């Protein structure tokens, strides 16, 4: 929320400096997001007088001016403005001045062979308005200010403060609410509320509410005989400081009251209405064109303001285009209503429509401020546009019941950790608008919808007193060495992350939300936001790979030749979220060199090697894993069907998927070149429960290990890992490892066959192995391999 310093001081009587104010805003929870002064860009510009004006010798539409800006010598300026003339006073930018509205810096130049130094400026060039038909012409009284900085002359040295308002602080959605907080924190005194003096006469308009759930209260009055034009400069300046564009006096008044007091209103042109106004539910399929010139289709859950001709206003969100005020408007109806926050939020989400009014109503405006709000708006209309006001028609009853909370001042130290005197607590709460009786029964003001219990009162006291005043007190702990508290799952995740990093992979953190286009190649998202901040951040990711692929391309665009990325995060499927490690490898695996020749690319086996190492570090039983090719269970259509697989414990329990990404996926996500990827499903890893006893002491074997080699003829389609696993399982007591060390394919082994050589490591524990023992073991190995159709090679 933005507002100028002078606007704040219209409600806050303070001598504090700008720095003191902004520091205190952050201290009390209204975090400073930005601070700028529009005068800074205009300080180089000077008030100047045209002392000579004549025709340009080489151009009919240009003039040659002599401009006095207080310098020792006048400037020669070529000017094309039609209103430039002798003795006029305007705003001059000397050479070297940056023109914000045109985005260039002035330099001496020749225009039609005549030298020109600097320029006389228009309002648009200084970003003071849209007028570009001529240069700024100041009042004759400005003659005394020639040579002075225009920013000082125009008194626009007014810093603009930008603060973040959390959703629970609806009371600070207006400048007065911010001033109230600062006054409670000791930065000045809150000025009395001025609702103006209004001479009302005549019956009020016909307004009513038939939707007590959506619009419990609807107040209205008319002002006849208004003259609508431009709003005054002070109001326009304040609206601009808040990022609003002035439109006309009537519209500007409603916007000003909304920003000033957090109270949205709406003004109708009476001549465009037919009959009375009523707040009612829309009918299914009812259509309305809003002030943004877009048509919206409504349903029966939405509240509208309608007359005999139909709906004209999406209640509490945006007015209609058909009944808005114009410069020709002479009679207006001012609407000041209370809309239920929950209904406003649901309607805005359904229509995908945001507005300043919706922001305030869905947080909850002050239900007791309807009379004051309509009086302030009516007073401003009469002051700026003239006219005669009617009585106020009050339809319905606003929900002004106030909560009463029993409070004990001692709870501040108990829960908040800060000793604050009871009288000081009372002074803080009363300054914020709470009322307190002698028994510490605290009545919550109607503008503090967020306060529901005594804990909230403590929060109010603490934030005003200062969070930095809370002493740092360590939590009590038992003597001795602290016991580990991480769960097996957390420990496994830490080990996996460390293993990935130690293998040369770079960790990334990407968005949990992606676009629907990015999610589509991975089966689409199961969860989508109805009202996302961006279409690119709409779907909760079904896989970590889209974010990693995008990160890989960003690195490639910046010249990275070998990209190795991983991420530990969550993927979101229909039933729940799943902890996962994703990795993407693309570019060169090994750089080109005189020894190896050209650069080598990553392949599916590189991804598999990374997966096995990370799984082993995480505690997975890597020796028991089975390697499956693509099937209905995995790895998914985003992998290349001939260069991918899954690692499983049994046919159904998938621990990881790996392989080359399908070219259609990399193309769809904008990744140039081939890439391999993998996904490790951390929640599928079977982990040992934490035990209370220490691990067994290291006991190396007393006898030397023995190795034996076997060569088998197998079907060419048989995975080598299956053979190694079968051999190792033939004698779990003696065989400690079985490793494939050779592959041969050729005519000598037969068509459709291959030869796999296995090195078997034997570790005797009780006695040295005899020939009989080795023969018995050989028989077991051959038998186990035979179950897979393997034959011992002669």
């Amino acid at each position: 929320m933005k507002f100028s310093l002078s606007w704040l001081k219209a409600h806050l009587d303070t001598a504090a400096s700008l720095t003191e104010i902004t520091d205190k805003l952050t201290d009390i929870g209204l975090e400073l997001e930005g601070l700028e002064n529009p005068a800074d860009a205009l300080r180089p510009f000077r008030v100047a007088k045209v002392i000579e004006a004549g025709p340009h010798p080489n151009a009919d539409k240009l003039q040659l001016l002599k401009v006095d800006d207080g310098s020792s010598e006048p400037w020669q300026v070529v000017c094309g403005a039609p209103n430039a003339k002798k003795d006029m006073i305007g705003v001059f930018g000397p050479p070297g001045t940056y023109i914000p509205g045109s985005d260039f810096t002035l330099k001496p130049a020749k225009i039609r062979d005549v030298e020109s130094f600097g320029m006389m400026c228009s309002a648009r060039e200084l970003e003071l308005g849209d007028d570009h038909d001529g240069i700024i012409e100041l009042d004759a009284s400005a003659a005394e200010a020639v040579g002075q900085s225009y920013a000082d002359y125009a008194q626009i040295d007014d810093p603009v403060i930008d603060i973040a308002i959390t959703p629970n602080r609806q009371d600070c959605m207006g400048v007065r609410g911010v001033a109230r907080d600062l006054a409670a924190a000791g930065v000045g005194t809150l000025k009395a509320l001025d609702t103006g003096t209004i001479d009302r006469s005549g019956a009020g308009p016909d307004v009513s509410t038939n939707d007590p759930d959506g619009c419990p209260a609807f107040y209205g009055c008319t002002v006849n005989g208004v003259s609508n034009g431009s709003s005054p400069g002070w109001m326009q300046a304040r609206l601009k400081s808040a990022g609003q564009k002035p439109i006309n006096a009537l519209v500007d008044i409603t916007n000003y009251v909304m920003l000033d007091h957090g109270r949205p209103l709406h003004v109708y042109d009476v001549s465009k209405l037919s009959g009375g106004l009523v707040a009612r539910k829309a009918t299914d399929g009812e259509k309305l064109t809003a002030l943004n010139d877009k048509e919206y289709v409504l349903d029966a859950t939405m509240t509208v303001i309608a007359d005999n001709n139909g709906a004209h206003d999406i209640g509490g969100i945006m007015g209609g285009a058909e009944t808005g005020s114009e410069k020709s408007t002479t009679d207006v109806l001012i609407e000041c209503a209370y809309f239920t926050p929950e209904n406003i939020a649901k309607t805005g989400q359904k229509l995908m429509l945001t507005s300043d009014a919706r922001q305030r109503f869905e947080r909850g405006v002050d239900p007791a401020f309807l009379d004051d709000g309509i009086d302030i708006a009516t007073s401003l209309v009469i002051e700026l546009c003239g006219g005669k006001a009617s009585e106020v028609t009050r339809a319905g009853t606003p929900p002004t019941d106030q909560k009463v909370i029993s409070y004990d001042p001692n709870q501040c130290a108990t829960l908040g950790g800060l000793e604050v005197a009871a009288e000081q607590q009372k002074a803080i709460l009363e300054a914020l608008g709470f009322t307190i009786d002698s028994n510490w029964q605290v009545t919550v003001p109607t503008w503090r919808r967020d306060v529901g219990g005594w804990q909230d009162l403590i929060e109010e006291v603490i934030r005003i007193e200062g969070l930095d005043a809370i002493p740092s007190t360590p939590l009590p702990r038992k003597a001795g060495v602290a016991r580990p508290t991480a769960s097996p799952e957390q420990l496994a995740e830490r080990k996996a992350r460390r293993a990935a990093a130690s293998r040369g992979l770079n960790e990334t953190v990407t968005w949990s939300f992606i676009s629907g286009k990015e999610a589509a190649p991975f089966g689409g998202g199961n969860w989508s936001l109805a009202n996302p901040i961006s279409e690119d951040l709409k779907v909760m990711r079904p896989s970590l790979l889209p974010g990693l692929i995008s990160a890989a391309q960003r690195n490639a665009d910046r010249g990275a030749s070998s990209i190795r990325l991983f991420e530990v995060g969550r993927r979101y499927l229909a039933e729940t979220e799943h902890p996962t490690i994703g990795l993407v490898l693309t570019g060169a695996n090994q750089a080109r060199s005189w020894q190896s020749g050209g650069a080598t690319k990553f392949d599916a086996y590189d991804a598999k090697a990374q997966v096995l190492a990370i799984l082993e570090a995480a505690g997975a039983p890597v020796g028991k894993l089975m390697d499956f090719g693509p099937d209905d269970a995995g790895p998914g259509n985003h992998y290349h069907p001939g260069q991918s697989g899954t690692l499983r414990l049994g046919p159904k329990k998938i621990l990881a998927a790996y392989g080359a990404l399908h070219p259609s996926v990399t193309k769809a996500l904008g990744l140039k070149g081939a890439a391999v990827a993998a996904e490790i499903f951390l929640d599928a890893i079977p982990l040992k429960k934490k035990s209370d006893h220490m691990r067994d002491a290291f006991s190396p074997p007393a006898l030397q290990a023995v190795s034996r080699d076997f060569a088998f003829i197998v079907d060419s389609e048989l995975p080598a890992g299956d053979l190694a696993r079968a051999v190792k399982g033939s004698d779990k007591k003696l065989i400690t490892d079985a490793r494939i060390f050779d592959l041969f394919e050729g005519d000598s082994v037969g068509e459709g066959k291959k030869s796999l050589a296995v090195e078997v490591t034997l570790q005797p524990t009780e006695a040295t192995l005899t020939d009989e023992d080795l023969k018995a073991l050989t028989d077991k190995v051959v038998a186990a391999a035979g179950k897979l159709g393997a034959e011992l090679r002669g």
Side-chain angles (χ1 to χ4, degrees):
M1 177 176 157
K2 292 183 177 182
F3 52 87
S4 63
L5 179 61
S6 64
W7 194 351
L8 177 66
K9 289 185 176 181
H11 295 282
L12 184 68
D13 187 1
T14 181
S17 67
L18 177 62
T19 300
E20 291 172 333
I21 290 173
T22 54
D23 286 349
K24 184 58 70 175
L25 283 169
T26 298
D27 289 344
I28 61 178
L30 304 175
E31 184 180 356
L32 182 70
E33 289 202 313
L35 184 64
E36 59 182 16
N37 192 341
D40 292 342
L42 302 182
R43 295 193 194 283
F45 296 90
R46 304 170 191 163
V47 177
K49 181 177 182 179
V50 179
I51 56 177
E52 291 183 18
H56 189 289
N58 302 321
D60 295 336
K61 295 184 178 180
L62 299 177
Q63 294 190 70
L64 194 59
L65 310 180
K66 293 290 186 180
V67 178
D68 177 17
D69 70 338
S71 302
S72 57
E73 297 290 335
W75 298 92
Q76 178 173 282
V77 177
V78 175
C79 181
N83 65 329
K85 57 183 181 292
K86 183 181 178 182
D87 295 331
M88 78 172 292
I89 301 173
V91 181
F92 174 70
T97 304
Y98 174 74
I99 308 297
S102 302
D103 190 26
F104 69 88
T105 301
L106 290 171
K107 297 179 180 179
K110 278 191 175 183
I111 303 177
R112 293 292 184 92
D113 297 327
V114 176
E115 287 188 320
S116 179
F117 302 90
M119 68 181 295
M120 299 293 288
C121 302
S122 68
R124 186 193 296 178
E125 287 161 341
L126 300 187
E127 294 186 334
L128 298 174
D130 295 329
D131 186 12
H132 195 57
D133 295 334
I135 57 178
I136 297 172
E137 186 169 1
L138 302 178
D139 188 82
S141 60
E144 297 178 359
V146 169
Q148 185 178 353
S149 169
Y150 176 68
D152 296 335
Y153 166 78
Q155 297 181 340
I156 56 177
D157 190 358
D158 193 6
V160 175
I161 301 167
D162 185 7
I163 59 174
I165 307 294
T166 52
N168 65 312
R169 293 306 308 277
Q170 68 281 346
D171 58 306
C172 288
M173 293 297 285
V175 177
R176 184 169 180 82
V178 177
R180 183 189 296 114
D181 258 28
L182 286 170
V187 186
T189 305
L190 184 67
K191 296 181 180 179
L193 179 67
D194 181 12
T195 59
T197 302
I198 307 168
D199 183 14
R200 296 186 181 275
S201 62
D206 179 12
V207 298
S208 60
T209 176
N210 292 340
D211 180 16
D213 292 331
C215 180
F218 185 0
Y219 290 10
C221 77
T222 58
V223 182
N224 297 323
V226 301
S227 177
N228 193 16
S230 299
S231 56
W234 65 268
M235 181 176 287
Q236 291 194 30
R238 290 181 181 180
L239 290 175
K240 289 177 181 177
S241 72
Q244 295 274 351
K245 181 180 179 181
I247 298 174
N248 60 53
L250 292 172
V251 175
D252 291 353
I253 287 169
T254 60
N255 288 335
Y256 178 72
V257 175
M258 174 182 66
L259 297 169
D260 198 34
H261 296 279
R263 160 38 72 181
L265 306 109
H266 189 61
V267 171
Y268 296 89
D269 187 331
V270 173
S271 66
K272 299 178 182 179
L273 299 176
S274 175
L277 287 179
V278 58
R280 61 167 173 82
K281 291 294 187 188
T283 58
D284 284 329
E286 189 170 10
K287 297 181 180 180
L288 183 153
T289 301
L291 285 171
N292 60 3
D293 293 326
K294 293 183 179 180
E295 185 178 74
Y296 295 92
V297 180
L298 312 177
D299 64 39
T301 66
M302 303 174 182
T303 302
V304 297
I305 308 297
D307 65 2
N308 295 339
N309 291 331
H312 294 298
D313 186 355
I314 305 172
I317 298 180
M318 189 171 288
E322 296 180 358
T323 57
S325 63
E326 299 176 349
K327 287 189 176 181
S328 59
T329 299
T330 57
D331 301 319
V332 296
L333 187 155
I334 303 174
E335 166 216 306
C336 186
Y338 179 84
F339 296 96
T340 306
E342 294 78 10
N343 285 19
I344 292 294
K346 291 177 182 177
T347 299
Q349 290 168 1
K350 284 183 179 180
L351 298 178
M352 303 290 286
L353 177 59
T354 60
S355 67
D356 290 321
R358 174 191 165 185
Q359 282 186 324
R360 286 158 177 81
F361 275 121
E362 70 181 358
R363 285 167 170 79
V365 301
D366 183 2
F369 200 75
L370 273 73
D371 277 310
D372 288 338
I374 202 167
D375 284 348
I376 292 170
T378 304
S379 177
L380 286 170
V381 168
I382 294 173
E383 177 187 345
L384 304 181
C385 304
K388 187 175 182 180
S390 73
E391 296 292 341
V392 177
T393 302
R394 298 173 178 84
T397 304
T400 55
D401 293 341
Q402 294 177 263
K403 303 172 192 170
V404 178
I405 301 172
S406 296
Y407 182 65
D408 180 359
N410 295 321
Q411 293 169 323
C412 183
T414 304
L415 180 64
L418 183 64
E419 293 280 356
V420 182
E423 286 304 311
Q424 174 66 3
Q425 294 187 50
K426 183 178 181 182
I428 289 173
L429 292 173
E430 288 179 339
L432 291 171
F434 297 85
T435 56
I436 307 171
D437 67 12
S438 58
N439 295 320
W440 281 94
Q441 298 297 303
V442 181
T443 302
V444 180
T446 52
W447 59 80
R448 290 306 301 270
R449 181 170 174 261
D450 58 306
V451 176
W454 59 270
Q455 298 89 342
D456 297 321
L457 298 178
I458 293 174
E459 181 182 354
E460 293 301 298
V461 172
I462 295 295
R463 74 178 181 86
I464 296 298
E465 190 69 15
L467 291 171
D468 55 346
I470 300 176
S472 298
T473 305
L475 293 173
R477 57 173 293 178
K478 295 181 179 179
V481 179
R483 299 183 65 182
T485 58
S487 67
E489 292 78 11
Q490 291 172 323
L491 291 173
E493 183 176 304
R494 292 178 189 173
K495 292 175 181 176
R497 175 184 277 110
R498 191 173 301 166
S502 68
R503 291 181 60 82
L505 303 180
N506 296 304
E507 185 172 8
T508 67
V509 178
T510 64
W511 295 108
S512 296
F513 291 96
I514 58 178
S515 67
K517 178 183 176 182
E518 290 175 306
F522 301 87
N526 294 282
W527 304 93
S528 298
L529 294 179
N531 188 23
I533 58 175
S534 167
E535 283 297 312
D536 291 336
L537 299 172
K538 182 177 183 179
V539 179
M540 297 188 77
R541 62 188 181 192
S543 168
L544 274 64
L545 297 185
L548 286 166
I549 293 171
S550 297
Q553 185 56 48
R554 286 194 295 273
N555 280 269
D557 291 341
R558 287 158 178 78
S561 59
S562 181
I563 300 168
R564 308 159 190 253
L565 304 179
F566 83 98
E567 180 175 9
V568 182
R570 301 292 186 268
R571 57 195 176 98
Y572 303 91
L573 304 183
E575 71 282 1
T576 186
E577 62 183 61
H578 295 270
T580 306
I581 297 179
L583 61 94
V584 168
L585 310 174
T586 185
N589 184 9
Q590 286 188 335
R592 62 183 181 178
S593 71
W594 63 271
Q595 294 173 313
S596 61
T600 59
K601 302 292 185 182
F602 291 103
D603 60 26
Y605 294 110
D606 294 316
K608 181 180 178 181
Q610 298 286 4
V611 168
L612 289 172
I614 295 171
L615 282 173
E616 185 174 14
V622 174
K624 298 179 180 179
L625 292 179
M626 304 171 67
D627 201 343
F628 281 73
D631 57 21
D632 292 340
N637 295 331
H638 49 284
Y639 287 102
H640 193 294
Q643 303 176 39
S644 61
T646 54
L647 296 173
R648 311 183 191 184
L649 283 174
K652 296 182 179 180
K653 193 173 184 63
I654 301 176
L655 269 62
Y658 68 91
L661 288 171
H662 198 285
S664 64
V665 174
T666 56
K667 181 179 180 182
L669 299 185
L671 181 63
K672 300 173 183 176
V676 298
E679 298 161 283
I680 301 172
F681 311 124
L682 293 173
D683 53 349
I685 300 175
L687 300 174
K688 295 180 180 179
K689 293 184 178 180
K690 295 171 67 176
S691 59
D692 294 331
H693 67 272
M694 297 178 63
R695 64 185 178 184
D696 296 332
F698 176 62
S699 178
L703 301 175
Q704 184 174 352
V706 179
S707 66
R708 288 291 183 269
D709 294 344
F710 297 84
F712 294 98
I713 305 295
V714 300
D715 290 339
S716 59
E717 298 298 324
L718 180 71
D722 289 357
L723 179 63
R725 192 177 300 107
V727 169
K728 186 176 181 181
S730 62
D731 191 322
K732 297 180 179 179
K733 184 177 180 181
L734 283 178
I735 298 177
T736 59
D737 192 20
R739 182 176 65 87
I740 304 293
F741 69 89
D742 185 58
L743 165 67
F744 175 76
E745 293 177 306
D747 295 338
S748 61
V749 297
E751 185 178 355
K753 300 289 184 177
K754 62 183 176 182
S755 172
L756 292 175
V758 187
E759 180 187 45
V760 179
T761 302
L762 312 174
Q763 180 58 65
T765 57
E766 297 176 356
T768 303
L769 296 176
T770 64
D771 292 340
E772 288 78 10
D773 294 332
L774 292 174
K775 184 178 184 308
L777 183 67
T778 300
D779 293 341
K780 290 181 181 181
V781 169
V782 173
K787 293 179 180 181
L788 299 178
E791 297 179 0
L792 193 64
R793 185 177 178 184

